[in-house]
Amino acid sequence: MSLSDTKGVALLSKLLDLTATKNKVIANNIANVNTPGFKKSDVSFEKELLKAVESKDISKIKNLHESITLSTAKGTRKNGNNVDLDQELVSFYQMSDRHNIYLELMSKKFSGMVAAIQGK
């Protein structure tokens, strides 16, 4: 496995972890859409991910952590809840699509490695 393959696998692995975490947080927001006073959580990792990738340092990619924060958006509902169900569902489907793309890329990367090992 070349160094670029190692970096690619590390990056895809981290992207899978990050998108899974983001979808867990979004699912929690959706589950609490009717909970009075509930404040939704947000997950961010994009800026840190970009810095880690630009650095080309595999350890920075592997050690990247997402940031989970409570949203400061004011609730538009009378019960103080600030979860917008439509927005959360769109975000959930977008993250799920990204996660599936990363899975497919990882699968192709490993299929290519297996083919190389087998001499195909």
Side-chain angles (χ1 to χ4, degrees):
M1 183 183 306
S2 74
L3 185 59
S4 65
D5 286 340
T6 303
K7 284 183 179 179
V9 169
L11 177 59
L12 286 170
S13 178
K14 184 51 73 171
L15 287 169
L16 286 167
D17 290 345
L18 294 170
T19 54
T21 298
K22 191 154 186 169
N23 260 356
K24 286 178 190 174
V25 169
I26 294 169
N28 185 59
N29 292 341
I30 292 169
N32 286 286
V33 70
N34 292 318
T35 303
F38 180 82
K39 302 298 180 206
K40 76 177 194 162
S41 295
D42 292 319
V43 178
S44 62
F45 58 83
E46 290 82 2
K47 289 179 186 176
E48 291 79 14
L49 177 64
L50 185 59
K51 287 179 190 175
V53 170
E54 286 176 346
S55 75
K56 298 180 182 176
D57 183 351
I58 196 166
S59 65
K60 286 186 179 182
I61 293 170
K62 287 181 178 180
N63 294 319
L64 179 70
H65 295 283
E66 67 279 351
S67 173
I68 301 174
T69 57
L70 284 179
S71 173
T72 57
K74 298 206 182 212
T76 56
R77 302 167 73 190
K78 291 180 182 178
N79 67 3
N81 187 309
N82 68 350
V83 177
D84 178 339
L85 183 59
D86 292 334
Q87 180 184 10
E88 294 299 308
L89 288 171
V90 168
S91 294
F92 185 83
Y93 290 126
Q94 286 175 337
M95 240 356 85
S96 294
D97 284 345
R98 284 186 192 177
H99 191 82
N100 289 335
I101 289 168
Y102 302 145
L103 280 172
E104 184 67 27
L105 289 170
M106 184 76 86
S107 175
K108 288 183 185 292
K109 185 165 279 297
F110 282 117
S111 294
M113 289 180 201
V114 168
I117 291 168
Q118 294 174 344
K120 295 182 181 180

